[in-house]
Amino acid sequence: MILSRRSMLGGGAGLAAALTAGAANARVLPSAMEPLIGPNYRPTDRDEVGMWQQMARVEEELAGSNLLMKDPALNDYLKRLIGKVGGPAARDMRIYLARIPEFNAVMFPTGFTVIFSGLLLRMRNEAQLAGVIAHESGHFLRKHQIRQWRDMRTKSDVFAVLAMGAGVAGGAAGVYTGDLARLAQFGTILSLLRYNRTLEAEADAMGVRLLAEAGYAPTAMAETWDQLIRELDASARYRRKKRRRDWSLFSTHPSPESRMADLRLSAREVTVPGRVYDDGRARYLSAIAPIRTMLLDDQVKLNDPGASQTIVETLAIDGWNGLLRFHEAEVWRLRNRAGDDARAAQGYAAAVLYADAPPDAWRWHGVMLQKAGRIAEAKAAYTRYLAMAPNAPDAPFIRQLLQ
Amino acid sequence: MGRNLIAVGAAALLLSACVQTRQYADVEFAPPSGDYKLLVMRPDVTVGSVTTGGMVEPRADWTETARANLLAALRAQQAGRGGNVLILEKRDGLPGVDAETIAELERLHYAVGSSIALHKYSGAYLPTKRGKGLDWTLGADAVALGRKSGMDYALFLHAEDSFVSTGRVALQVLGIAGCAVGFCAPNIGGGGQFAYASLVDLRTGEVVWFNVLQTGSQVAGIKFGDIRTPDGAAVMVERLLGRMKPGRDVARALKATR
């Protein structure tokens, strides 16, 4: 009897701890976010020195990876951008661009960051991209990785000692404490995840502040989240699924909705009335112009029509063009639902009305016309394709068709 | 009763502590001897400390010391065999070969080495490789490196070592003391070495010999040679490279001539 009452009490305490650990995090204020490091930062603490030594090897490996996009102009552009929103460490941070068609960016403990090409695809302007880079800079400026490591070390130490102590005490008193230890372990894990979410919230707040200080509209970060939420929803809807909503207790990041809401409030706080903020859209578009076709192509080939279509439509908020129309048609053609062939044919036809239609738009326009039996028009489209891309891999084949 | 408990505890301690090596060789492998030229690729060494909670915290100073000790021990050991050793401490340390070529070969070896680990050590045995000794190759890239550098063999080395912190030892003491009251946790583990060496014949590109060394104890606080000291590093090099066995065919031929 005594035994069960004790376990009940213990279980209740553990559960209470777990619940507190999982409670929603309060917003971190941008004004509270001072950088914790200055220029030319070098670690002096033993654990951080060890971490930096390992990371030097990681960076060396990464810098030679064949996933990286080496285009010097584009890399210079990104370097200038992190130079603008990197706060005191702007000159110390390194930025790498990897060809991975996903929405992501990662900051490593020693101040190098990897931007995924899928991020460049989704950003509508320079301010949005600068917002993500500012968030990543925030992780470095606030020393997040080492703080998280220390948090984990302390919590696992405390857990190990408590579990062993409880076991021995329980052994002496003749009580089995295994269940209690398991519950405490659960609480430890939850509190680790919570700490991670706090750090993400810090990076968001720090990012908003850096963004505004650099003269970009601080609302850009909230816009990015709004775009991502719509994309995730559309992607799930197409697959007749619901977007993963198991953020909360077990996630390492706060939910997109709460991040968006917090980012909006924070943006309002740091906005200076009367100041004109830049979105740098023209600069952004000219920087990514050489790779934009490739970015869209990589996304379309992921076979995620819900997401791809939303991305194209989001980019088209700033105006349709031949490139976007062409990839919209590609999404339909590859989706291949009933009626999609006709939809794609119309899409290619619409794309070639724009002066900036890519050669492939003319090619596919020709293919669709040929299928429909409109041979003369198809030939005209093919001729245009060959004129634009005389060295295309299939050029001899198309020439043969024209004869 | 008390005595029995201690006996059981002692048995557990003995069983849970061990040093293990397992090597594989190409069937036609004869350990290098005489006047051979060995290129040692930049050794991958990490030394850390095991926290009370069981995490391994990398230590920069220990790692540097251990790396220097291992290199010194390796030089001494290979000199004893009569080989000429060139140790690459940086990727651009080989005249006439650029860092990128070395990096690519390291990555290739990482992939091949992982495959060897999976199919020779982790139990996913391949029926097509049965009875063939070690049947892996780095291919033309390794041969090209041999031709450019004039080296006969390349050795790839990886070593990890970790030492338990005082906190973890104290936890272990508590775990063993608990046996007296019926809560026995005599093997919480922590600390130990893991290392492998892989020898590539640069004339054929083949991985001709592979050895994995594992030392560890499920009881925190027991050490098996400390690679932060010159003696401990020499012990690890000897365990890893000291007894290179010839491949099956070579061993048979040796037996026949005897």
Side-chain angles (χ1 to χ4, degrees), chain B residues 171-240:
Chain B
L171 194 67
Q172 177 68 78
V173 169
L174 187 61
I176 293 172
C179 291
V181 295
F183 177 83
C184 216
N187 36 18
I188 61 168
Q193 300 175 338
F194 170 78
Y196 69 76
S198 167
L199 189 68
V200 176
D201 189 332
L202 292 178
R203 292 158 300 195
T204 61
E206 277 171 34
V207 183
V208 287
W209 181 86
F210 202 91
N211 193 11
V212 170
L213 164 72
Q214 211 159 7
T215 71
S217 159
Q218 288 172 299
V219 181
I222 294 188
K223 281 184 203 158
F224 297 90
D226 180 343
I227 61 171
R228 293 171 300 177
T229 66
D231 290 348
V235 168
M236 181 188 263
V237 168
E238 186 56 30
R239 276 180 186 149
L240 207 53

Side-chain angles (χ1 to χ4, degrees), chain A residues 247-329:
Chain A
W247 309 91
S248 69
L249 274 184
F250 298 101
S251 28
T252 56
H253 288 58
S255 80
E257 276 86 356
S258 71
R259 285 180 82 169
M260 186 170 70
D262 285 355
L263 282 166
R264 277 206 185 117
L265 288 173
S266 298
R268 212 168 296 154
E269 266 172 32
V270 297
T271 302
V272 181
R275 181 168 177 184
V276 180
Y277 292 101
D278 184 19
D279 73 355
R281 181 171 152 73
R283 266 198 313 275
Y284 180 67
L285 288 185
S286 79
I288 65 158
I291 59 160
R292 209 176 190 197
T293 310
M294 187 204 87
L295 296 176
L296 281 158
D297 220 41
D298 284 353
Q299 171 62 37
V300 167
K301 286 182 178 141
L302 288 179
N303 192 21
D304 185 357
S308 300
Q309 195 171 353
T310 311
I311 292 169
V312 169
E313 280 165 7
T314 305
L315 295 175
I317 294 173
D318 301 306
W320 281 99
N321 58 38
L323 197 62
L324 293 176
R325 281 286 182 214
F326 167 65
H327 283 96
E328 186 188 36

Side-chain angles (χ1 to χ4, degrees), chain A residues 315-384:
Chain A
L315 295 175
I317 294 173
D318 301 306
W320 281 99
N321 58 38
L323 197 62
L324 293 176
R325 281 286 182 214
F326 167 65
H327 283 96
E328 186 188 36
E330 286 282 275
V331 174
W332 287 327
R333 179 174 66 82
L334 295 167
R335 187 174 69 177
N336 203 22
R337 279 184 176 175
D340 275 350
D341 48 348
R343 230 171 260 132
Q346 281 168 9
Y348 297 125
V352 298
L353 294 178
Y354 293 88
D356 67 339
D360 276 334
W362 286 100
R363 181 182 178 278
W364 277 105
H365 184 45
V367 171
M368 292 302 183
L369 289 169
Q370 193 187 354
K371 273 191 186 171
R374 294 155 66 179
I375 303 300
E377 288 162 280
K379 281 190 170 175
Y382 284 144
T383 309
R384 184 71 185 267

Side-chain angles (χ1 to χ4, degrees), chain A residues 11-87:
Chain A
L15 201 62
L19 285 177
T20 349
N25 304 1
R27 181 169 68 96
V28 177
L29 301 180
S31 53
M33 287 295 101
E34 289 299 333
L36 298 178
I37 61 171
N40 290 319
Y41 174 74
R42 288 287 174 279
T44 48
D45 295 338
R46 214 172 59 188
D47 50 358
E48 204 177 2
V49 172
M51 188 182 250
W52 277 53
Q53 188 196 46
Q54 284 207 320
M55 281 301 141
R57 192 74 186 256
V58 172
E59 187 172 359
E60 184 188 20
E61 212 39 62
L62 178 88
S65 161
N66 56 7
L67 276 180
L68 290 189
M69 297 170 63
K70 301 267 160 76
D71 180 344
L74 198 55
N75 280 289
D76 275 355
Y77 173 73
L78 292 175
K79 204 173 156 187
R80 279 201 300 281
L81 218 49
I82 204 166
K84 278 190 210 168
V85 294

Side-chain angles (χ1 to χ4, degrees), chain A residues 46-47 49-51 53-54 57 60-61 63-66 149 152-153 156-157 160-161 163-165 167-168 171-172 177, chain B residues 42-44 46 51-60 63-64 67 91 100 106-107 171 174-175 178 181 183 185 188:
Chain A
R46 214 172 59 188
D47 50 358
V49 172
M51 188 182 250
Q53 188 196 46
Q54 284 207 320
R57 192 74 186 256
E60 184 188 20
E61 212 39 62
S65 161
N66 56 7
W149 165 261
M152 201 143 69
R153 189 180 57 201
S156 65
D157 284 0
V161 172
M164 186 68 86
V168 173
T177 51
Chain B
R42 187 177 59 168
D44 188 12
T46 27
T51 65
T52 311
M55 292 162 68
V56 179
E57 182 171 295
R59 284 282 301 263
T63 299
E64 284 311 321
R67 192 200 308 273
R91 279 180 173 167
E100 192 47 41
E106 279 178 6
R107 284 182 208 127
L171 194 67
L174 187 61
V181 295
F183 177 83
I188 61 168

Side-chain angles (χ1 to χ4, degrees), chain A residues 6-240:
Chain A
R6 263 193 210 163
S7 349
M8 290 254 291
L9 277 175
L15 201 62
L19 285 177
T20 349
N25 304 1
R27 181 169 68 96
V28 177
L29 301 180
S31 53
M33 287 295 101
E34 289 299 333
L36 298 178
I37 61 171
N40 290 319
Y41 174 74
R42 288 287 174 279
T44 48
D45 295 338
R46 214 172 59 188
D47 50 358
E48 204 177 2
V49 172
M51 188 182 250
W52 277 53
Q53 188 196 46
Q54 284 207 320
M55 281 301 141
R57 192 74 186 256
V58 172
E59 187 172 359
E60 184 188 20
E61 212 39 62
L62 178 88
S65 161
N66 56 7
L67 276 180
L68 290 189
M69 297 170 63
K70 301 267 160 76
D71 180 344
L74 198 55
N75 280 289
D76 275 355
Y77 173 73
L78 292 175
K79 204 173 156 187
R80 279 201 300 281
L81 218 49
I82 204 166
K84 278 190 210 168
V85 294
R91 295 195 179 285
D92 305 327
M93 286 190 280
R94 286 83 66 202
I95 189 162
Y96 299 95
L97 176 62
R99 186 175 173 182
I100 304 171
E102 278 170 31
F103 180 105
N104 209 350
V106 194
M107 174 58 84
F108 288 79
T110 49
F112 65 98
T113 180
V114 182
I115 302 287
F116 288 22
S117 60
L119 183 70
L120 294 190
L121 167 69
R122 286 164 174 84
M123 299 295 98
R124 284 168 53 196
N125 52 48
E126 191 174 281
Q128 289 191 348
L129 177 61
V132 176
I133 296 176
H135 168 100
E136 298 305 328
S137 306
H139 283 309
F140 183 56
L141 295 173
R142 298 285 301 170
K143 299 178 74 168
H144 280 168
Q145 288 90 346
I146 192 69
R147 280 167 63 201
Q148 190 175 7
W149 165 261
R150 285 172 185 162
D151 178 65
M152 201 143 69
R153 189 180 57 201
T154 310
K155 283 174 181 161
S156 65
D157 284 0
V158 169
F159 170 72
V161 172
L162 284 185
M164 186 68 86
V168 173
V175 183
Y176 174 65
T177 51
D179 294 333
L180 190 61
R182 221 159 292 142
L183 202 59
Q185 189 175 23
F186 184 64
T188 308
I189 292 169
L190 286 180
S191 99
L192 286 175
L193 294 175
R194 177 185 150 85
Y195 190 68
N196 202 337
R197 290 198 299 275
T198 309
L199 296 183
E200 285 301 322
E202 270 197 26
D204 275 348
M206 180 96 237
V208 165
R209 184 171 159 171
L210 291 167
L211 196 61
E213 282 169 3
Y216 292 108
T219 45
M221 287 171 79
E223 282 169 21
T224 305
W225 280 105
D226 181 45
Q227 286 164 212
L228 181 68
I229 290 169
R230 277 190 284 123
E231 178 192 326
L232 292 173
D233 281 339
S235 169
R237 207 180 313 121
Y238 175 78
R239 287 176 281 117
R240 301 211 186 107

Side-chain angles (χ1 to χ4, degrees), chain B residues 18-51:
Chain B
C18 61
V19 177
Q20 232 186 351
T21 63
R22 190 140 59 102
Q23 55 174 285
Y24 289 100
D26 186 285
V27 286
E28 285 167 11
F29 171 68
S33 60
D35 191 25
Y36 62 93
K37 286 187 199 147
L38 176 73
L39 176 66
V40 179
M41 308 298 275
R42 187 177 59 168
D44 188 12
V45 182
T46 27
V47 185
S49 138
V50 184
T51 65

